[in-house]
Amino acid sequence: MGMDENALIARAQEGDVDAFNRLVLAYQQLAYNVAYRVVGNPDSAADATQDAFLRAFRALSSFRGGSFKAWLLRIVTNCCYDQMRGRKRRPTTALDDILEDDEHNELLADASESPEDYVSRLDLDATIERALQSLPYDQRVIVIMSDIQGLSYEEISQTVSVSLGTVKSRLSRGRTKMRDYLLAHQELLPPRFRLGGE
Amino acid sequence: MPLSRRNARRDHKFTAANLSAYLDGQLTSRQKQRVEEHLLACEPCRRDLAQLERTVALLRRAPMRPVPRSFALPASAQSKQAAYRRWNSAYGVLRTASVMVSLLLVLLFSGDALIGRWLAPAVPVSLHVEEVVLDREQAAEAPMLATAPAAAEAAREAVEAPQMEAPSEAPPPMALMAPAEVTAMVEREAPPESALAPGLGGGGEPAPQFKAAPPPVSVPQTSGARLGSAPTSVRRAADAATPGGVMMLQAPSPEQGIAESAEDGAPSPTAAELSALPQGITSTPWHTPTDTELAAKRALDTPMPDSAEATPLRHIERSPWWSIWRGIRLASGVFLGMLLMLVATLVLIGQKRRI
């Protein structure tokens, strides 16, 4: 958004809710997807996302420049952590939620996509979600930021407030665990996505 | 293990740990070269790299989920932002106040320690002075020992006390009118043979350490604790000899005692003799004034007030520094309480302004 974004942020810092809502529109899908991948549950992810935007607006005066995306995602991960602490359980029904969520099914569907491809993507999404939930929280957040959302090491370092070295080591361990999980559960992956034998 | 195998093992470990960073181009050129050289020679690492690449590619294919609804904020969010700003500024003020109070506390504690230390040397005097005042009152009733025999009696008891097996009374510090008189008295009244340590020459010989006239050592009154452990008669003798002034002790110098003991070839006192000593008396072949006695003597040198109620402790209490010290202690307590309240408030406000 560039200059536009800075102007919107400045107006939002003075209390302009409409300016802030324009920022919400630009970042809500990113925020929701990060929240969903972290908590593994659509309802909790929605609550965490709404809470994150509320907090972000309240604390906008503490934003001193730099990457607004990293600053916002930091709030999102904090809210996710609070959600998980509040729930006190790991999401074991993520797959059921995906299959039963009509809105999800409707929006995931693509007109040019064959049913087989659609099911493949569904299976892939579910398997990835299961694999992510098998990771420790710290590694999961960094794998999501890097490999699903495409953030750089520096942006991840700012978001999670850890050093670059910590980002590298956590990402390495998280990817290794993901690989091991996917190798152990290859039957869950569509054939063309399988990693191959050991 | 050959060096080449050790190096190969190190390269393997390094490569396995850095495959992820290698994929993302996060290695230095030297590190990257090291990994690539190892990959050429290591099939398992090549396989691991391939699997890692597919894992990352799979994650990047994960579909973006659509948002279930709009997360735009209502207009009422504006008032919440204003309230947050107030909490935020209150937090900043409280944080600054906490820092200032902490610094003040550090200064107060430092002042307390410094002034307390300055006042401290006078304080122990009060503990002994009160006891000595009581002793003085008791001693005032006892007959004054102004004659040499009485002084010699006390002197002999003091001589016998450090070494004897079981004297009926604890040896007192000697109250002597004059060194020569005491020496004469002791020589005339030799201690019992069995009661004397061999170091004194045994067998009824007079204590050699009294032949010389070492410099007199004063026993201060503040050895009230020590005096308190001595028999009443001793204390009376000590106090009576110098009712309002300084007691003089005649004692051999340590060097004389050692030399004379060595000349006599005297063995140390036996365990039975040691166990028979009165409580609080150390066993030495000679009686050497201790630091406590010297300190007590110094306190004794301080002129006592006429009134029995006006003790040095009350002199200290009337000192302006005492008032300052007490004021500092009171202020420290108040500021500590303030700091605790500030920290508790900060924690509460911190919860409200957390993002």
Side-chain angles (χ1 to χ4, degrees):
Chain A
M1 292 179 82
M3 288 289 288
D4 236 8
E5 182 175 284
N6 291 335
L8 285 172
I9 291 169
R11 281 166 51 192
Q13 281 176 331
E14 290 166 11
D16 188 345
V17 181
D18 291 333
F20 187 78
N21 282 336
R22 288 179 63 182
L23 292 169
V24 169
L25 203 64
Y27 285 102
Q28 63 181 359
Q29 190 170 29
L30 169 69
Y32 175 73
N33 273 270
V34 167
Y36 173 74
R37 294 297 178 193
V38 171
V39 299
N41 178 284
D43 294 330
S44 299
D47 291 341
T49 307
Q50 187 70 75
D51 199 22
F53 281 120
L54 271 167
R55 285 194 203 178
F57 181 62
R58 279 205 311 259
L60 205 51
S61 56
S62 67
F63 176 68
R64 302 270 186 257
S67 170
F68 182 75
K69 184 163 83 171
W71 182 81
L72 179 64
L73 287 179
R74 185 174 169 188
I75 299 173
V76 170
T77 51
N78 284 343
C79 292
C80 290
Y81 187 73
D82 292 343
Q83 276 285 325
M84 290 171 68
R85 255 190 335 187
R87 278 166 52 200
K88 289 182 183 174
R89 66 176 179 88
R90 296 177 66 83
T92 56
T93 59
L95 179 58
D96 295 334
D97 289 339
I98 291 168
L99 294 176
E100 292 168 10
D101 187 351
D102 290 336
E103 192 178 343
H104 165 86
N105 293 341
E106 191 179 303
L107 291 169
L108 267 184
D110 184 0
S112 61
E113 198 173 35
S114 69
E116 292 80 13
D117 289 341
Y118 170 75
V119 170
S120 292
R121 283 214 295 152
L122 209 63
D123 289 343
L124 175 66
D125 190 55
T127 307
I128 286 173
E129 190 52 41
R130 280 205 176 105
L132 284 170
Q133 293 303 316
S134 72
L135 298 182
Y137 175 81
D138 293 342
Q139 292 173 17
R140 189 189 324 151
V141 167
I142 289 183
V143 167
I144 290 167
M145 299 277 182
S146 169
D147 296 338
I148 297 183
Q149 300 302 332
L151 270 68
S152 67
Y153 277 41
E154 287 74 21
E155 284 176 318
I156 296 171
S157 173
Q158 280 179 43
T159 302
V160 189
S161 299
V162 296
S163 65
L164 277 177
T166 305
V167 172
K168 277 185 206 174
S169 67
R170 284 184 188 173
L171 185 58
S172 175
R173 280 183 272 138
R175 281 172 173 172
T176 305
K177 285 195 177 109
M178 285 290 290
R179 180 200 65 192
D180 294 343
Y181 183 92
L182 294 172
L183 281 172
H185 298 86
Q186 293 212 73
E187 70 283 0
L188 298 176
L189 285 170
R192 61 189 172 115
F193 295 128
R194 289 177 188 169
L195 302 185
E198 292 191 11
Chain B
M1 183 186 292
L3 185 65
S4 57
R5 279 182 70 184
R6 218 180 306 154
N7 287 341
R9 189 174 274 196
R10 279 202 206 114
D11 287 341
H12 181 78
K13 277 182 82 172
F14 178 83
T15 302
N18 287 281
L19 278 179
S20 175
Y22 172 72
L23 266 180
D24 294 332
Q26 292 288 327
L27 297 180
T28 63
S29 52
R30 273 188 74 179
Q31 289 171 333
K32 186 179 167 187
Q33 187 182 359
R34 186 180 176 186
V35 166
E36 285 173 349
E37 282 173 5
H38 179 76
L39 284 171
L40 289 173
C42 181
E43 165 62 27
C45 283
R46 284 201 298 272
R47 190 176 60 236
D48 285 346
L49 180 65
Q51 286 171 350
L52 205 61
E53 274 177 322
R54 293 191 67 136
T55 302
V56 174
L58 209 64
L59 286 168
R60 286 184 182 154
R61 290 177 74 99
M64 278 288 259
R65 295 181 65 83
V67 290
R69 65 172 193 273
S70 170
F71 293 104
L73 302 183
S76 59
Q78 192 171 10
S79 59
K80 286 188 180 169
Q81 191 194 50
Y84 178 83
R85 276 209 204 105
R86 285 194 294 272
W87 282 117
N88 212 24
S89 48
Y91 187 85
V93 167
L94 283 173
R95 194 167 54 184
T96 308
S98 300
V99 169
M100 289 177 63
V101 168
S102 303
L103 288 172
L104 269 169
L105 264 177
V106 167
L107 285 171
L108 284 170
F109 285 144
S110 307
D112 179 40
L114 284 169
I115 296 178
R117 220 180 213 193
W118 184 71
L119 288 174
V123 171
V125 172
S126 68
L127 299 176
H128 299 285
V129 166
E130 288 182 356
E131 199 170 2
V132 172
V133 168
L134 287 173
D135 291 338
R136 286 184 167 278
E137 290 169 355
Q138 289 173 7
E141 299 170 0
M144 303 285 287
L145 290 178
T147 58
E153 170 94 10
R156 192 192 64 205
E157 288 177 352
V159 168
E160 292 171 358
Q163 323 97 12
M164 67 180 68
E165 50 183 306
S168 55
E169 296 172 335
M174 293 187 287
L176 305 175
M177 301 305 291
E181 290 177 349
V182 171
T183 305
M185 287 300 121
V186 169
E187 286 178 350
R188 277 202 294 275
E189 300 181 19
E193 298 83 359
S194 60
L196 277 180
L200 289 177
E205 292 180 9
Q209 53 262 43
F210 293 103
K211 286 179 184 169
V217 176
S218 301
V219 176
Q221 284 178 339
T222 54
S223 60
R226 285 179 73 85
L227 288 176
S229 65
T232 308
S233 62
V234 170
R235 280 181 279 155
R236 283 180 187 158
D239 292 331
T242 55
V246 176
M247 287 192 297
M248 301 300 294
L249 251 192
Q250 189 72 12
S253 64
E255 294 77 13
Q256 280 181 308
I258 291 169
E260 287 160 354
S261 298
E263 283 174 7
D264 296 336
S268 308
T270 64
E273 289 168 348
L274 286 173
S275 61
L277 289 175
Q279 189 178 11
I281 303 299
T282 56
S283 169
T284 57
W286 60 91
H287 179 69
T288 308
T290 64
D291 291 342
T292 308
E293 289 171 345
L294 292 171
K297 193 271 176 183
R298 279 195 289 274
L300 269 181
D301 283 340
T302 308
M304 295 291 293
D306 292 335
S307 166
E309 294 175 359
T311 66
L313 178 61
R314 292 200 171 81
H315 278 297
I316 294 163
E317 285 177 341
R318 285 200 285 268
S319 162
W321 284 107
W322 180 266
S323 309
I324 294 170
W325 190 27
R326 286 175 68 178
I328 287 176
R329 289 213 151 170
L330 184 64
S332 302
V334 169
F335 278 112
L336 186 62
M338 278 175 61
L339 184 64
L340 289 171
M341 283 174 56
L342 280 169
V343 168
T345 312
L346 271 173
V347 168
L348 284 170
I349 294 182
Q351 298 277 350
K352 287 192 175 292
R353 63 179 283 281
R354 188 170 163 270
I355 60 170

